[in-house]
């Protein structure tokens, strides 16, 4: 199931990161240079804040998936599995424990994992491009 999610959303997550980073950079440039009126700057500032929160929530959810998949094995081992009498339940439990050995991590095109480190690096890269735009302004 994790592989299906990975295959389905991998390219769209990468496109989302790239375009959101670009829009974030350009909108921050508009806010910093006070282009337009006060209302436009305020609305662009709210838009920048919303983009940052949205990226942060996406990366936090990726961290949550990784954490839950890491703790799955420990949670199963902490239950009373020895009381299971059916062989079908024991077979499913073995399958779950085998799958739980490898943590589930959502990755955008095998390059960007969805975690807080990716969020931090995206913010640093966006800020770098923002300062580049600010220095190139005549």
């Amino acid at each position: 199931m994790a592989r299906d999610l990975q295959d389905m959303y991998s390219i769209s997550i990468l496109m989302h990161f790239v375009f959101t980073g670009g829009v974030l950079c350009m909108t921050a440039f508009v806010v910093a240079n006070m282009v337009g009126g006060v209302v436009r700057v305020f609305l662009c500032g709210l838009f920048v804040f919303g983009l940052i929160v949205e990226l942060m929530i996406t990366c936090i959810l990726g961290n949550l998936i990784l954490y839950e998949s890491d703790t799955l094995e420990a949670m199963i081992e902490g239950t009373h599995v020895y009381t299971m009498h059916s062989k079908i339940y024991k077979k499913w439990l073995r399958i779950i424990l085998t799958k739980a050995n490898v943590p589930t991590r959502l990755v955008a095109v095998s390059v960007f994992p969805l975690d807080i480190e990716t969020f931090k690096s995206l913010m640093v890269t966006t800020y770098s491009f923002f300062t580049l735009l600010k220095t190139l302004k005549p």
Side-chain angles (χ1 to χ4, degrees), residues 11-29 47-59 119 122-123 125-127 129:
I11 294 173
S12 62
I13 290 172
L14 176 69
M15 299 287 279
H16 175 69
F17 278 173
V18 168
F19 288 125
T20 302
V23 169
L24 186 62
C25 175
M26 306 258 184
T27 310
F29 180 73
F47 184 67
V48 166
F49 178 74
L51 282 177
I52 291 172
V53 168
E54 184 265 329
L55 279 175
M56 186 175 63
I57 288 173
T58 303
C59 292
F119 174 73
L122 186 64
M123 289 294 107
T125 304
T126 301
Y127 186 74
F129 283 119

Side-chain angles (χ1 to χ4, degrees), residues 14-110:
L14 176 69
M15 299 287 279
H16 175 69
F17 278 173
V18 168
F19 288 125
T20 302
V23 169
L24 186 62
C25 175
M26 306 258 184
T27 310
F29 180 73
V30 168
V31 170
N33 290 319
M34 300 292 278
V35 176
V38 175
V39 174
R40 175 181 270 174
V41 170
F42 176 73
L43 291 176
C44 286
L46 282 177
F47 184 67
V48 166
F49 178 74
L51 282 177
I52 291 172
V53 168
E54 184 265 329
L55 279 175
M56 186 175 63
I57 288 173
T58 303
C59 292
I60 286 174
L61 287 175
N63 258 6
L64 185 63
I65 289 171
L66 180 64
Y67 173 76
E68 290 293 327
S69 70
D70 277 345
T71 59
L72 180 64
E73 186 177 6
M75 286 191 287
I76 289 175
E77 289 174 354
T79 60
H80 301 287
V81 293
Y82 55 85
T83 60
M84 293 178 144
H85 297 294
S86 174
K87 292 194 183 284
I88 295 173
Y89 290 130
K90 291 179 183 179
K91 178 182 173 185
W92 278 106
L93 186 63
R94 242 182 270 130
I95 291 171
I96 290 172
L97 284 173
T98 303
K99 294 276 189 184
N101 284 334
V102 179
T104 302
R105 173 173 282 193
L106 292 178
V107 181
V109 192
S110 302

Side-chain angles (χ1 to χ4, degrees), residues 110-121:
S110 302
V111 177
F112 300 111
L114 279 180
D115 57 6
I116 294 300
E117 293 300 318
T118 303
F119 174 73
K120 284 192 251 182
S121 68

